Amino acid sequence: MITLLLFPFSILFIAALLAVVTAIYSWRQRPKTGATSVSIMMLGIFIWLVGYILELTSNNAATQLMWINLTYIGITIVPAAWLLFSFEYTGHSSWLSWKTIALLCIEPILVQLILWTNNTHKLFYKEIIFDFTQQLPQTNLTYGSAFWLHALYSYLLLLAGTIILILKFRKSSGLYRRQLAIILVAAVIPWLSNLIYLSWPGVIALDPTALAFLATGLLWTWAIFGYRLMDVMPIARNTVVEHMQDGMLVLDQENRIVDINPAAEKIIEQSADNIVGLAVEEVLSPWRDVANQYLHIAQANEEIVVRQGEKTFYYDLQITPLLNKKGKQTGRLILLRDITQRKQTEDAYYTLVNQTSQGLVILKDMQIQFANPALAEITGIPLTDLIAAPISKLMHNIHPDDLPTLLNSLTNASRIELRFMGFQDETRWLEFSATQIQFQGTPAIQAVISDITERKNTESILRQARDEAEAANRAKSTFLANMSHEIRTPLSAIIGYSEMLHEQATMKGDEKLAARLKNIEVAAYHLLSILNDILDISRIESGKMELHKNLFTVQALIDTLAITVRPLVTRNNNRFTVESANNLGEMVGDATKIKQILTNLLSNAGKFTTDGKIVLKVDREMTMDNQDELVLMVKDTGIGMAPESIPHLFQPFAQADDSLTREFGGTGLGLAITQRICDMMNGSIEVESQPGQGSTFTVRLPIENNIKQPELIRTGELA
């Protein structure tokens, strides 16, 4: 006997398990249409089944009555949830207001109140007889008026939901029809079982409704996972029509408006309540010309223009005939899509394209799909000959040497310059810039073509002028170098003879003659210094200045230099100090050029400083790129310079102030030569100065530590 009882309990347990799993899964899918109502309905079935199982396992009247009452929580939830699901599935979501849900909650609450107070009024159960003598407890119930009202109400809800779904079933097809078939069968099985149970009370020991829920659970599981009930739900006509962006009007055979959606109401600026049933020509009086034009046209797909007051609107008009099952026309469906913004954008685009001076062409499958007037003007080919012509129409005039470049540009979408043969064999330069685009839904190439002939001619003229200027500059530098060599020879004789005569005049005691000869000697040396500077700057500009790189000790170079330049630095009663770091070490470079840099800087410092202090600082530092560099700093307390004079300081034959040339002398070549030599050594020179506060020149030269054979570098070899 116990074995026989296990079977119905197993069915009830499995049905409850399926119900709770389906409820949980549906709840997790609640953003989807119908999922929430399915979850609530399955929860109600779960409560019903669990309550019934506990009712059957109770061993006293009070406990059994308690579980019977609690079972009705689920029993009252299921019909309401079923109706809500039918609303959602069929697209009547507008019926699911909070007011509707609140009304559906009233009956379950009232049933619970009546059940728990039944002993006082006997409205739900007139009599309850418990029998615990059998293997399973038996409960004989005599129903009262409240029960029959509850049963009638529940069946009405179930019937309403079922009818709504059956109507949907008749209009559905394919997947949706199969979904509905499974859902309806799942609902009918427990419904019929409950009718049988209520029709013969006391005859059937177990409630077949609860047992039938196993089939219901299996069918719902099949619908959800086998036919994607939660993933694919039908969208109702009302939902689509009411929320579509396009305006929709439905006309009958007499051209009366029988239906209109909110988008169409907005377009024609009238409400449905005022126009449904009226003739379309009356409603569209502001559109009278359009209405009369299409009054008897059954099918159309065109763009129309409507002027309302001072505004102009563009619409995409579609007219489709409505046919009955016999193929006879019963009316027309009119769709209006507002394309005003698109047309305005297109008009602006085409205005821009047609007025631009740049040629524009769109190519698809090597065929010209679009060309603007500017392209016809640039190429000299009539616009009518370009449209729909193959690309060879343009390529025919391209210089043969540029054709491979053009084909590569069309493939890789790049910018190129090419020669175009046209206008009585005149060669013109064109700039061709290609881009990959989508044209009418397919890949295409858009090319912008500009006539750059004038620019290319200007570039050619400028290039020629630059070459001529550079040639003239080289000729000047060569001339100055040659002249310097020619002048140095007699000047050396003048210096030699003046020194010899000066010694003889001094030995004879002729001080007046010795002084004159000394002036000749000083002037000759000054002229020699100028010639040396001119020769250096000429060599640099002509690319003939050379670097002789050798390994040397930095400190030894500084010590030798300090002895040599001390007379130049201290000639105006200046104090001269040298500050050297301890880690100077060795480096590979041109020691002579480094001496020349420092001599120029220290000589200038001594020239422009009087009764002041001049400091030479030498250090070795590490750059951010972990490269050693030699830092040479010359600092003085002389007259200084204005900040606006510094940018011109390193230009040949320039000084900070023209008056300085008259007062202190000099050609203005020393700093220009110094900067050029720094550039040759891949170094740099910087200056900081303020009027009356002196100047600081800082030279930074990269240190090469690799000991190589002596190396010679010309300025022309430097990048």
Side-chain angles (χ1 to χ4, degrees), residues 299-318:
Q299 191 166 0
N301 187 359
E302 300 176 8
E303 291 183 3
I304 62 172
V305 181
V306 178
R307 290 175 177 83
Q308 292 179 295
E310 297 180 355
K311 295 183 179 180
T312 301
F313 296 92
Y314 297 87
Y315 295 96
D316 185 3
L317 171 67
Q318 291 188 31

Side-chain angles (χ1 to χ4, degrees), residues 309-559:
E310 297 180 355
K311 295 183 179 180
T312 301
F313 296 92
Y314 297 87
Y315 295 96
D316 185 3
L317 171 67
Q318 291 188 31
I319 302 177
T320 305
L322 299 177
L323 308 176
N324 59 19
K325 293 182 179 180
K326 297 180 179 180
K328 183 180 179 181
Q329 181 174 336
T330 58
R332 290 181 297 165
L333 174 68
I334 300 176
L335 295 178
L336 288 170
R337 174 172 294 178
D338 190 342
I339 58 171
T340 304
Q341 186 174 359
R342 191 193 79 191
K343 293 292 291 185
Q344 290 173 347
T345 303
E346 289 177 356
D347 291 344
Y349 173 75
Y350 284 114
T351 300
L352 177 64
V353 166
N354 290 329
Q355 292 182 356
T356 182
S357 60
Q358 293 179 313
L360 181 67
V361 61
I362 296 177
L363 305 171
K364 187 164 67 172
D365 298 330
M366 302 305 285
Q367 188 109 0
I368 298 175
Q369 303 294 322
F370 172 82
N372 70 338
L375 181 65
E377 184 177 349
I378 291 172
T379 60
I381 303 174
L383 188 61
T384 53
D385 293 345
L386 288 173
I387 303 299
I391 186 62
S392 58
K393 186 76 175 179
L394 289 174
M395 296 175 65
H396 178 73
N397 297 80
I398 302 297
H399 193 284
D401 294 343
D402 296 335
L403 280 176
T405 307
L406 174 61
L407 293 174
N408 183 64
S409 175
L410 291 174
T411 304
N412 301 321
S414 58
R415 183 190 299 267
I416 60 169
E417 295 178 356
L418 48 82
R419 288 160 290 182
F420 187 84
M421 313 297 293
F423 300 114
Q424 298 178 348
D425 295 332
E426 177 190 4
T427 300
R428 304 187 65 81
W429 279 95
L430 303 181
E431 183 180 70
F432 187 91
S433 179
T435 308
Q436 298 284 351
I437 64 168
Q438 288 287 321
F439 181 73
Q440 295 179 348
T442 58
I445 297 173
Q446 175 181 277
V448 178
I449 302 172
S450 304
D451 189 340
I452 58 171
T453 305
E454 186 176 348
R455 190 190 81 189
K456 296 292 286 188
N457 291 339
T458 303
E459 289 177 355
S460 178
I461 294 171
L462 292 175
R463 192 182 305 110
Q464 183 179 356
R466 183 197 65 193
D467 293 342
E468 291 176 355
E470 290 177 351
N473 190 51
R474 287 193 297 271
K476 177 206 70 174
S477 299
T478 303
F479 170 76
L480 290 175
N482 292 335
M483 288 299 298
S484 298
H485 280 295
E486 295 299 327
I487 295 173
R488 280 164 65 96
T489 301
L491 188 59
S492 298
I494 293 172
I495 292 173
Y497 280 116
S498 64
E499 288 178 346
M500 183 178 65
L501 292 173
H502 178 265
E503 290 178 1
Q504 291 178 359
T506 302
M507 291 174 63
K508 292 180 180 181
D510 192 345
E511 296 181 359
K512 186 175 182 180
L513 179 60
R516 290 175 178 173
L517 290 169
K518 185 65 176 177
N519 288 338
I520 294 173
E521 181 185 342
V522 171
Y525 271 112
H526 181 63
L527 181 57
L528 180 62
S529 175
I530 293 174
L531 289 173
N532 287 335
D533 286 346
I534 292 174
L535 184 59
D536 283 344
I537 198 70
S538 300
R539 285 175 175 172
I540 291 172
E541 291 182 349
S542 62
K544 295 181 180 179
M545 173 68 78
E546 299 175 350
L547 290 179
H548 297 271
K549 301 174 73 173
N550 289 283
L551 181 67
F552 63 90
T553 303
V554 178
Q555 187 61 57
L557 181 144
I558 299 301
D559 293 342

Side-chain angles (χ1 to χ4, degrees), residues 83-149:
L83 182 65
L84 294 176
F85 170 75
S86 68
F87 288 165
E88 287 192 89
Y89 188 90
T90 57
H92 296 90
S93 299
S94 58
W95 297 354
L96 295 175
S97 63
W98 286 108
K99 183 178 180 180
T100 303
I101 296 173
L103 290 174
L104 291 174
C105 291
I106 293 175
E107 195 264 349
I109 296 172
L110 287 176
V111 167
Q112 285 297 308
L113 290 175
I114 294 171
L115 280 170
W116 293 100
T117 59
N118 187 70
N119 289 335
T120 59
H121 50 68
K122 305 294 184 178
L123 292 175
F124 207 86
Y125 298 126
K126 292 182 178 180
E127 184 180 16
I128 305 175
I129 300 174
F130 299 101
D131 183 4
F132 295 100
T133 60
Q134 305 297 325
Q135 189 69 32
L136 282 176
Q138 299 293 318
T139 306
N140 296 316
L141 302 172
T142 303
Y143 301 116
S145 57
F147 172 83
W148 293 114
L149 287 174

Side-chain angles (χ1 to χ4, degrees), residues 273-291:
D273 295 338
N274 297 329
I275 63 175
V276 171
L278 298 180
V280 68
E281 58 268 24
E282 297 179 25
V283 175
L284 301 181
S285 55
W287 298 24
R288 184 171 290 105
D289 294 339
V290 176

Side-chain angles (χ1 to χ4, degrees), residues 88-92 168 233-242:
E88 287 192 89
Y89 188 90
T90 57
H92 296 90
K168 182 68 177 178
M233 296 280 279
I235 300 175
R237 172 265 174 204
N238 289 344
T239 302
V240 174
V241 172
E242 295 298 315

Side-chain angles (χ1 to χ4, degrees), residues 155-190:
Y155 275 104
L156 286 175
L157 294 184
L158 292 170
L159 182 62
T162 303
I163 291 173
I164 291 172
L165 291 175
I166 290 174
L167 293 175
K168 182 68 177 178
F169 175 81
R170 294 179 61 188
K171 298 178 181 179
S172 300
S173 61
L175 177 66
Y176 303 130
R177 193 176 183 88
R178 289 190 290 273
Q179 286 179 353
L180 281 168
I182 295 172
I183 293 170
L184 288 170
V185 172
V188 168
I189 291 174

